[in-house]
Amino acid sequence: MRGWPRAAAVASLVLSALTVSACGIAHDASPRVIDTDNVPVELLQPTTAPPTTLGADVPQKDALVYLVNERNREVEPVIRAVPTPINTQQILRQLIAARPTDDETDEGLSNVITRQTRLLGVTEERGGSLVTIDLENFFPGLTSEEVTLATAQMVYTLTARRGLDTPVQVQVLVRGRPQELRTAEGRSKTVVSCADFVDLGPPESCRATTTSTTIEVGPAPVPPTEAPGQQ
């Protein structure tokens, strides 16, 4: 949470400088050293990333995100607080920022999505059933197997948000350009769904449908009961 206080402190200092200038106080002829005791502590603590934790005053709601179990190399759901009202971009930002708690670490959970992953934007089409994720770089620092797991984390997390009755399709861009995604079976696709990673997560968290059109098969018809005396 350091970036925002620092920005506020910088803005405050700029405003103070403008006020002093307007009052006609002369500028220093040359730079001078300022005692650190007179500098706000926020300015002495450099930061390079926006805040990833939530303050107590931020309205939030629990949501499921998926981490990776390093023991079986599958994804598992955990609960994380997300700012309300919850939207897809907030869910994905929390997923990228999520790191296992001590208890989750003891259980073998980790997040293969690195902190260097930068989310540029998220768009939703077809009533939210098609989610396009635009990244600054393609899963930096990951092997091909880890990219598959990272994609599965995103797909399962988004599926949990919408529910199994509305399958979610996901495509990943890098600065607007579509990327090939590796499925659990090793195939390359530009649009994937939970069905492409069904072997990498809990069976109850994914309906085994495909990204193409599926046909629901109903129960087999019950044969009519023969009337007495008929053969």
Side-chain angles (χ1 to χ4, degrees):
M1 298 290 290
R2 296 174 180 171
W4 299 113
R6 177 179 179 179
V10 170
S12 177
L13 287 178
V14 170
L15 180 59
S16 298
L18 292 174
T19 303
V20 169
S21 175
C23 292
I25 297 177
H27 297 285
D28 291 337
S30 60
R32 60 188 173 90
V33 177
I34 300 177
D35 191 332
T36 56
D37 291 337
N38 297 324
V39 178
V41 64
E42 293 88 349
L43 298 182
L44 299 177
Q45 299 173 334
T47 180
T48 57
T52 57
T53 57
L54 302 177
D57 59 337
V58 176
Q60 52 193 272
K61 183 178 180 180
D62 287 343
L64 292 180
V65 300
Y66 279 74
L67 299 181
V68 173
N69 189 322
E70 295 291 349
R71 296 170 183 170
N72 57 16
R73 304 297 279 175
E74 295 180 359
V75 298
E76 293 185 9
V78 298
I79 296 176
R80 289 295 184 269
V82 180
T84 57
I86 296 177
N87 59 44
T88 301
Q89 183 158 303
Q90 288 172 338
I91 287 280
L92 287 171
R93 289 193 184 281
Q94 289 302 107
L95 169 62
I96 292 171
R99 291 300 175 266
T101 63
D102 290 342
D103 288 342
E104 291 167 351
T105 299
D106 292 340
E107 295 172 3
L109 298 183
S110 71
N111 189 350
V112 301
I113 303 174
T114 66
R115 294 185 185 275
Q116 287 70 42
T117 304
R118 293 289 180 264
L119 185 64
L120 298 182
V122 177
T123 59
E124 298 178 79
E125 302 174 59
R126 305 174 191 169
S129 62
L130 175 61
V131 179
T132 300
I133 303 168
D134 197 2
L135 303 176
E136 184 178 58
N137 294 292
F138 189 68
F139 296 111
L142 301 188
T143 65
S144 59
E145 180 200 8
E146 290 170 335
V147 167
T148 298
L149 288 169
T151 307
Q153 284 184 251
M154 289 184 169
V155 171
Y156 270 84
T157 296
L158 295 176
T159 299
R161 167 167 162 70
R162 291 190 56 84
L164 295 180
D165 292 334
T166 310
V168 177
Q169 296 180 329
V170 178
Q171 60 180 349
V172 175
L173 313 179
V174 171
R175 301 182 183 182
R177 295 186 176 183
Q179 303 296 305
E180 293 282 339
L181 302 172
R182 183 174 176 268
T183 70
E185 297 178 349
R187 293 184 297 167
S188 293
K189 303 176 69 175
T190 55
V191 178
V192 294
S193 72
C194 192
D196 295 303
F197 306 95
V198 69
D199 295 331
L200 297 182
E204 67 275 10
S205 299
C206 181
R207 177 173 293 170
T209 57
T210 64
T211 53
S212 59
T213 303
T214 58
I215 300 176
E216 296 289 340
V217 179
V222 178
T225 304
E226 294 182 353
Q230 291 184 346
Q231 295 183 349

